């Protein structure tokens, strides 16, 4: 009979797995798939000044890439004074924004709550297309009842705006 003889070797103890096979990439970017909606959202707004008139408080922008710029340093007493340095910069794309409505809020003990929303009288077809998943098969009835309010007389809408 044939016998197999295994060589006896000293096993080196494996250290912790995180050192032996560290993961590649951050789990914060999971799931790695294409987004359903490409419209970004504004995650934080500046502190509201109640005395100021209503105004635009945020603007949507998308990071489109990075590049570098050469700039002159103008700081008296600095080592690099009157010299040029290269800095990395982000390119932020800010597509044109169109106001389609106004949202009114009321302050409650739990924070702000939506009171009413007033949309514009004429909404572009481009905006209405974004409300549907399949524009081709849709009945295209979005905002038709709301537009009828303007035809009846804008007293209802004026009351909501106040």
């Amino acid at each position: 009979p044939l016998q197999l003889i295994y060589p006896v070797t000293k096993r080196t103890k494996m250290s912790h797995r995180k050192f032996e096979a560290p993961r590649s990439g951050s789990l914060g970017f999971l799931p790695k798939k294409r987004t359903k909606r490409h419209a970004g959202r504004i995650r934080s707004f500046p502190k509201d000044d109640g005395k100021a008139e209503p105004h635009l408080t945020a603007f949507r922008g998308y990071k489109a890439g990075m590049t570098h710029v050469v700039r002159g340093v103008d700081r008296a007493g600095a080592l690099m004074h009157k010299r040029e340095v290269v800095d990395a910069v982000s390119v932020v794309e800010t597509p044109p924004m169109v106001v389609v409505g106004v949202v009114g809020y009321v302050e409650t003990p739990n924070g702000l709550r939506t009171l009413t929303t007033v949309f514009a009288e004429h909404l572009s077809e481009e905006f209405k297309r974004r409300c549907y998943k399949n524009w081709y098969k849709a009945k295209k009835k979005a905002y038709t009842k709301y537009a009828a309010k303007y035809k009846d007389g804008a007293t209802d809408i004026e009351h909501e705006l106040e």
Side-chain angles (χ1 to χ4, degrees), residues 48-49 52-58:
D48 188 37
D49 182 17
E53 289 185 19
H55 59 283
L56 190 65
T57 53

PDB file of all heavy atoms in Angstrom, residues 48-49 52-58:
ATOM      1  N   ASP A  48     -32.477  81.146   9.155  1.00  0.00           N
ATOM      2  CA  ASP A  48     -33.446  82.064   8.581  1.00  0.00           C
ATOM      3  C   ASP A  48     -33.516  83.352   9.384  1.00  0.00           C
ATOM      4  O   ASP A  48     -33.588  83.320  10.615  1.00  0.00           O
ATOM      5  CB  ASP A  48     -34.824  81.395   8.537  1.00  0.00           C
ATOM      6  CG  ASP A  48     -35.831  82.234   7.771  1.00  0.00           C
ATOM      7  OD1 ASP A  48     -35.427  82.856   6.770  1.00  0.00           O
ATOM      8  OD2 ASP A  48     -37.003  82.275   8.175  1.00  0.00           O
ATOM      9  N   ASP A  49     -33.493  84.477   8.673  1.00  0.00           N
ATOM     10  CA  ASP A  49     -33.665  85.782   9.301  1.00  0.00           C
ATOM     11  C   ASP A  49     -35.110  86.203   9.068  1.00  0.00           C
ATOM     12  O   ASP A  49     -35.503  86.499   7.942  1.00  0.00           O
ATOM     13  CB  ASP A  49     -32.686  86.789   8.691  1.00  0.00           C
ATOM     14  CG  ASP A  49     -32.778  88.157   9.341  1.00  0.00           C
ATOM     15  OD1 ASP A  49     -33.346  88.239  10.452  1.00  0.00           O
ATOM     16  OD2 ASP A  49     -32.272  89.136   8.755  1.00  0.00           O
ATOM     17  N   ALA A  52     -35.907  89.655   7.273  1.00  0.00           N
ATOM     18  CA  ALA A  52     -35.616  89.840   5.849  1.00  0.00           C
ATOM     19  C   ALA A  52     -36.805  89.390   4.997  1.00  0.00           C
ATOM     20  O   ALA A  52     -37.629  88.586   5.421  1.00  0.00           O
ATOM     21  CB  ALA A  52     -34.381  89.051   5.461  1.00  0.00           C
ATOM     22  N   GLU A  53     -36.878  89.933   3.791  1.00  0.00           N
ATOM     23  CA  GLU A  53     -37.938  89.544   2.855  1.00  0.00           C
ATOM     24  C   GLU A  53     -37.668  88.121   2.359  1.00  0.00           C
ATOM     25  O   GLU A  53     -36.528  87.663   2.374  1.00  0.00           O
ATOM     26  CB  GLU A  53     -37.957  90.504   1.665  1.00  0.00           C
ATOM     27  CG  GLU A  53     -38.479  91.882   2.021  1.00  0.00           C
ATOM     28  CD  GLU A  53     -38.594  92.769   0.792  1.00  0.00           C
ATOM     29  OE1 GLU A  53     -38.627  92.222  -0.338  1.00  0.00           O
ATOM     30  OE2 GLU A  53     -38.636  93.990   0.954  1.00  0.00           O
ATOM     31  N   PRO A  54     -38.713  87.409   1.882  1.00  0.00           N
ATOM     32  CA  PRO A  54     -38.486  86.060   1.330  1.00  0.00           C
ATOM     33  C   PRO A  54     -37.522  86.115   0.142  1.00  0.00           C
ATOM     34  O   PRO A  54     -37.634  86.978  -0.718  1.00  0.00           O
ATOM     35  CB  PRO A  54     -39.881  85.624   0.877  1.00  0.00           C
ATOM     36  CG  PRO A  54     -40.814  86.437   1.690  1.00  0.00           C
ATOM     37  CD  PRO A  54     -40.129  87.749   1.931  1.00  0.00           C
ATOM     38  N   HIS A  55     -36.576  85.197   0.131  1.00  0.00           N
ATOM     39  CA  HIS A  55     -35.558  85.179  -0.911  1.00  0.00           C
ATOM     40  C   HIS A  55     -35.055  83.756  -1.104  1.00  0.00           C
ATOM     41  O   HIS A  55     -35.345  82.868  -0.308  1.00  0.00           O
ATOM     42  CB  HIS A  55     -34.399  86.106  -0.551  1.00  0.00           C
ATOM     43  CG  HIS A  55     -33.722  85.743   0.734  1.00  0.00           C
ATOM     44  ND1 HIS A  55     -34.271  86.030   1.960  1.00  0.00           N
ATOM     45  CD2 HIS A  55     -32.571  85.088   0.984  1.00  0.00           C
ATOM     46  CE1 HIS A  55     -33.481  85.576   2.914  1.00  0.00           C
ATOM     47  NE2 HIS A  55     -32.435  84.992   2.341  1.00  0.00           N
ATOM     48  N   LEU A  56     -34.283  83.562  -2.167  1.00  0.00           N
ATOM     49  CA  LEU A  56     -33.705  82.254  -2.469  1.00  0.00           C
ATOM     50  C   LEU A  56     -32.587  81.978  -1.467  1.00  0.00           C
ATOM     51  O   LEU A  56     -31.658  82.763  -1.327  1.00  0.00           O
ATOM     52  CB  LEU A  56     -33.150  82.258  -3.893  1.00  0.00           C
ATOM     53  CG  LEU A  56     -32.727  80.922  -4.472  1.00  0.00           C
ATOM     54  CD1 LEU A  56     -33.944  80.011  -4.634  1.00  0.00           C
ATOM     55  CD2 LEU A  56     -32.052  81.122  -5.804  1.00  0.00           C
ATOM     56  N   THR A  57     -32.683  80.848  -0.741  1.00  0.00           N
ATOM     57  CA  THR A  57     -31.706  80.562   0.307  1.00  0.00           C
ATOM     58  C   THR A  57     -30.697  79.496  -0.090  1.00  0.00           C
ATOM     59  O   THR A  57     -29.712  79.305   0.609  1.00  0.00           O
ATOM     60  CB  THR A  57     -32.414  80.095   1.596  1.00  0.00           C
ATOM     61  OG1 THR A  57     -33.274  79.008   1.267  1.00  0.00           O
ATOM     62  CG2 THR A  57     -33.224  81.215   2.199  1.00  0.00           C
ATOM     63  N   ALA A  58     -30.943  78.774  -1.170  1.00  0.00           N
ATOM     64  CA  ALA A  58     -30.007  77.728  -1.576  1.00  0.00           C
ATOM     65  C   ALA A  58     -30.032  77.594  -3.094  1.00  0.00           C
ATOM     66  O   ALA A  58     -30.988  77.989  -3.746  1.00  0.00           O
ATOM     67  CB  ALA A  58     -30.377  76.404  -0.925  1.00  0.00           C
TER      68      ALA A  58
END
